[in-house]
Every structure is written in C-alpha cells, then in structure tokens.
Amino acid sequence: MRLACILAMIATPILAEGSYDVYDLVPEPAALQDYEPDILLNCLRNSGSRGSRQACIGVSSGACMRAEASNHAMAYTACTGAEWGDWDARLNSTYADLVHYQTYGDRDEMAVEKLREMQRAWITFRDAACEWDSVAWGGMLGVGAGPAVADCMMVLTAQQTLFLMERARMERERAERRIRERAAQ
Amino acid sequence: MMRIWMMTSVATMVLLPQLAVAQDMPYDPAATQSCLAEMADTDMENTNVCVGRSAEQCADASTGGFSTRSMTACMSAEYGLFDEMLNVEYAKVRGLAADLDKQANGTSFDDVSMGDRLVQMQRAWIAYRDATCAFERRQFDGGTIGELVYIDCLTTLTADQAFRLQNSVLGL
C-alpha cells in the first residue's frame, strides 16, 4: 500500500504544500523483492567510524536498483524509498536508545528536552528540505519529484541516524561510568 | 512585498550568530578552499571532507597548538568562511528561484512559489542548526570544550547547507 504511494509519486509531482504526510510514504522494506536490508546492515557492522559509515548510505538501494533495472525512475524511487524506510526504523530505535541512556540512573531533564527540541526541529527541516528538492529537481528530471524526494528523505534520515548513533554510544559509556562509580561508593 | 520582507529577515538570520575571532591567529583559508576546488572537479559528493582543513593547519601553527582555546579560535574562522559561502549560495539560489517564479507567472500548480519554499527551507534549517548545536553544547556540559563543540557543530551544519544549496543549482 505504502509502496504504491511512492510509485504514484513518479507520475504526480508533489507540489501542493502540506499535501503529503511523509510517514505515509515510508514503504515496508520487505514489500520490494530486490531490496536486501542485510547489505546495509553488514556495511554498518563492518565500519568502525561515523565517517566510514557515511559510505554505507545507499548500498542496499544501489544493489536493489541494479537488480530492478527494467524501469529506471521507478526502480530508483522504489529502491531508495525502501532504504529510507530501513533508516527510518533505525533512527527511531536509535532515538529511543539515546533517551534511555540519557535518563539512566539520574534523569537529566534538561538534556532530554534539548534532544526532543533537536529532533522536532530536524523533522521540520527534513520536510522543508525535501519539499524544496521536489520543486528544485522535479521539473528537470522529467519523471516528477518522486526520485528526488526519496533520495532526499533517505540521505537526511541516514545522516541523522548516524549522528544519533554516535551520541547514543557516548551516552551509553557515560551511563556505564555512572553505574561503576555508584558501585564503588 | 511580504516575500521581500521574509527573504531579508532570513538573510539576516543566516549571518548570525557572529563569533569573536582572536587577533593573533594564523588562519589561512587556502587549504580548505583548494580542497573544495579539487573536490568540485573530482568528487562532488564528498566535498564535506574539506571542512576543517584550514582550521587544523591554523591550530597546528598557533602558539597554543591543539589546545581547546586555539582550536576554538581557528574553528571560528573556518565557520566564518562557510557562513560566507552559505550566504553566497543562498543569494544565487534565491535569484534563480525568483527568475523561475517570474517565468511561471501565476501558472504554477498552487500558490506557493519556489522563492517561498526556499525561504521555508532556510528558516527550518536555522531552527534545526540552533537546536542541534544547543544539544551538542549540552552534551559536553557547557565549559570550554562545550564552546569548541558548539562552533564545530555550527561549521559542519553550515557547510552541509551551503553544499546542499550549491547542489540544488544543478536542478534549477
């Protein structure tokens, strides 16, 4: 169902402001036969730093596109949309982890509030940036705004996920230190 | 009229926050600039590896070396470089969007012009930048390290946005 929305976007450029809810467009990764989430997962596992993990953005959708070579724009949008959905799920779980570690032991309300404000502002920015991309690239590609929006959503979501992953790792180390210190007392 | 007001206010917001830069700081933008020029020819997608090149050289040449203080001063200068670049790219894209709006002359699919969408994105970006860098500073508990983290955050996000605008010129 959601995948159908992504495919419909190819024929219908998104132009009306606020006419789409981006979360309605996140396709289920499993809905696309040639999308293999393990390629991305393994890339992330084998990369040691945030910098090298950046290079993982687009690996699963890239392989998917090569396998679905029949219709270029359609494969591009569907495969990229699938990887965006993949990252989106990862972003949600990473965000939950970060809140968990931030509040582990002694609750730092101020830090949690800063995190919430940041994530809210990021969502507004993501939507505005991808809507801008849809009009900036929509006319040029000749296939509507679908590929541009899917690419924008995937890349911005992936970058935010990698950033939060770093911070979650840092917060986990801090939480573990707090526990050790308390045990030593 | 409304649009002119909105664009002017965004341009002003982009210039902020301004940060004090130490006088005796050996900052030279050449390393970052030549890296950007080289990447533009060979690897457009990874221009962000250039961000901080000149700041690193500056810290290395500073009397304070890689101390928090001299690194903060050097990174502030790097921020100035990318803030200027963002303003230049924004003005360029704004001009292109205004031309396209003029060409469309009421024939667009809805009432929202390209110029308005650009302003919306830039406003959302400013709010995102401020919220993100406030979060970053909080993560490192204020203090002098907090200041370095803050200016590093501003520089990275400003460079990303400058590259994003630079890239969207290709689509317009």
Side-chain angles (χ1 to χ4, degrees), chain B residues 3 5 7 25 41 44 113 124 127 134 140-141 152-153 169 171-172:
Chain B
R3 200 181 308 160
W5 173 80
M7 284 180 174
M25 185 197 37
D41 293 335
M44 266 296 269
S113 67
F140 294 89
D141 300 317
D152 189 65
C153 173
V169 169
L172 290 172

Side-chain angles (χ1 to χ4, degrees), chain B:
Chain B
M1 185 59 205
M2 181 64 182
R3 200 181 308 160
I4 290 168
W5 173 80
M6 280 170 74
M7 284 180 174
T8 322
S9 61
V10 165
T12 318
M13 284 189 281
V14 169
L15 289 169
L16 296 169
Q18 281 166 346
L19 290 123
V21 172
Q23 293 294 315
D24 58 341
M25 185 197 37
Y27 181 82
D28 180 353
T32 299
Q33 281 167 340
S34 66
C35 175
L36 289 175
E38 199 188 307
M39 294 302 269
D41 293 335
T42 54
D43 192 4
M44 266 296 269
E45 285 199 357
N46 293 307
T47 34
N48 60 349
V49 300
C50 300
V51 182
R53 287 277 171 98
S54 283
E56 249 169 68
Q57 278 193 357
C58 164
D60 203 23
S62 295
T63 39
F66 286 89
S67 69
T68 307
R69 208 192 143 102
S70 59
M71 277 168 72
T72 304
C74 293
M75 195 50 90
S76 298
E78 185 95 6
Y79 170 65
L81 182 71
F82 283 101
D83 190 44
E84 200 185 312
M85 183 179 167
L86 175 60
N87 284 315
V88 168
E89 293 303 327
Y90 185 76
K92 208 186 288 173
V93 175
R94 195 180 59 186
L96 287 168
D99 288 348
L100 288 166
D101 282 337
K102 222 178 283 170
Q103 280 171 28
N105 196 24
T107 58
S108 66
F109 293 89
D110 57 31
D111 294 337
V112 185
S113 67
M114 300 213 46
D116 288 346
R117 281 203 169 80
L118 178 64
V119 171
Q120 275 167 14
M121 167 173 78
Q122 195 63 2
R123 289 197 155 169
W125 175 75
I126 288 163
Y128 152 73
R129 175 202 65 187
D130 289 348
T132 302
C133 297
F135 165 80
E136 284 287 83
R137 177 146 60 181
R138 176 76 199 182
Q139 286 291 295
F140 294 89
D141 300 317
T144 48
I145 282 282
E147 284 314 301
L148 175 58
V149 167
Y150 182 69
I151 191 68
D152 189 65
C153 173
L154 285 181
T155 309
T156 307
L157 295 189
T158 303
D160 282 350
Q161 183 68 353
F163 298 146
R164 183 173 299 113
L165 288 172
Q166 197 174 40
N167 198 38
S168 69
V169 169
L170 302 171
L172 290 172

Side-chain angles (χ1 to χ4, degrees), chain A residues 5-13 73-75 77-78 143-147:
Chain A
C5 290
I6 278 277
L7 297 178
M9 281 161 59
I10 294 169
T12 322
M74 236 166 85
T77 309
V143 288

Side-chain angles (χ1 to χ4, degrees), chain A residues 14-17 54 98 102 108 110-111 114-115 117-118 121-122 124-125 128-129 131-133 135-137 140 156 159-160 163-164 167 170-171 174, chain B residues 48 93 97 109-110 112 114-115 117-118 120-121 124-125 127-128 131-132 134-136 138-141 149 160-161 164-165 167-172:
Chain A
I14 295 161
L15 287 162
E17 187 196 2
Q54 292 273 358
L98 183 47
Q102 260 187 340
D108 184 350
M110 177 77 169
K114 289 262 180 264
L115 172 64
E117 278 170 21
M118 171 177 78
W122 175 76
T124 308
F125 167 65
E131 192 164 335
W132 163 251
D133 272 12
V135 294
W137 295 95
M140 191 210 192
L156 289 185
Q159 285 171 344
Q160 186 71 355
F163 169 56
L164 293 187
R167 291 294 167 263
M170 204 175 96
E171 282 298 320
R174 281 184 179 172
Chain B
N48 60 349
V93 175
F109 293 89
D110 57 31
V112 185
M114 300 213 46
R117 281 203 169 80
L118 178 64
Q120 275 167 14
M121 167 173 78
W125 175 75
Y128 152 73
T132 302
F135 165 80
E136 284 287 83
R138 176 76 199 182
Q139 286 291 295
F140 294 89
D141 300 317
V149 167
D160 282 350
Q161 183 68 353
R164 183 173 299 113
L165 288 172
N167 198 38
S168 69
V169 169
L170 302 171
L172 290 172

Side-chain angles (χ1 to χ4, degrees), chain A residues 8-78:
Chain A
M9 281 161 59
I10 294 169
T12 322
I14 295 161
L15 287 162
E17 187 196 2
S19 63
Y20 65 102
D21 177 354
V22 290
Y23 278 101
D24 287 347
L25 299 173
V26 180
E28 304 294 336
L32 193 68
Q33 219 181 353
D34 289 314
Y35 183 79
E36 290 173 38
D38 284 354
I39 301 171
L40 174 60
L41 187 66
N42 288 331
C43 180
L44 290 173
R45 277 184 182 152
N46 295 330
S47 305
S49 68
R50 184 173 156 199
S52 60
R53 279 193 283 270
Q54 292 273 358
C56 296
I57 303 173
V59 286
S60 273
S61 58
C64 167
M65 272 173 238
R66 286 188 288 278
E68 298 256 329
S70 56
N71 180 325
H72 208 68
M74 236 166 85
Y76 189 96
T77 309

